[in-house]
Amino acid sequence: MPRWQAPADASPELIAKWETYIQGLTLHEKGHVDNVVNNYLRVKTAIQSGTCLTAETGAQKALDTLRKF
């Protein structure tokens, strides 16, 4: 996450915009984390149910699904 130390002369409006941006970005990134946490078992299952020859392909397909979110 980006960090910004507001200079002493930063306007209250700029500080408020930064805080709004960081809150939105945090929520957005949390969505990515939640997606992985809620769906990682698909990847695990694809790997475990495959053979040495098919596990990677199965895992990639499961990951492609996760990446769509």
Side-chain angles (χ1 to χ4, degrees):
M1 296 296 290
R3 294 178 187 213
W4 178 60
Q5 183 66 38
D9 62 346
S11 71
E13 294 83 11
L14 181 59
I15 293 170
K17 280 184 177 183
W18 175 259
E19 290 174 359
T20 299
Y21 167 74
I22 288 297
Q23 289 172 0
L25 182 59
T26 299
L27 184 61
H28 171 85
E29 294 303 322
K30 183 182 179 305
H32 291 296
V33 172
D34 290 347
N35 181 38
V36 171
V37 168
N38 293 330
N39 295 291
Y40 80 94
L41 286 176
R42 291 179 187 187
V43 178
K44 179 182 174 188
T45 300
I47 292 168
Q48 290 178 333
S49 64
T51 67
C52 289
L53 297 174
T54 64
E56 183 175 354
T57 301
Q60 287 301 324
K61 286 181 183 178
L63 283 171
D64 288 344
T65 301
L66 291 178
R67 290 182 180 122
K68 291 179 182 177
F69 293 100

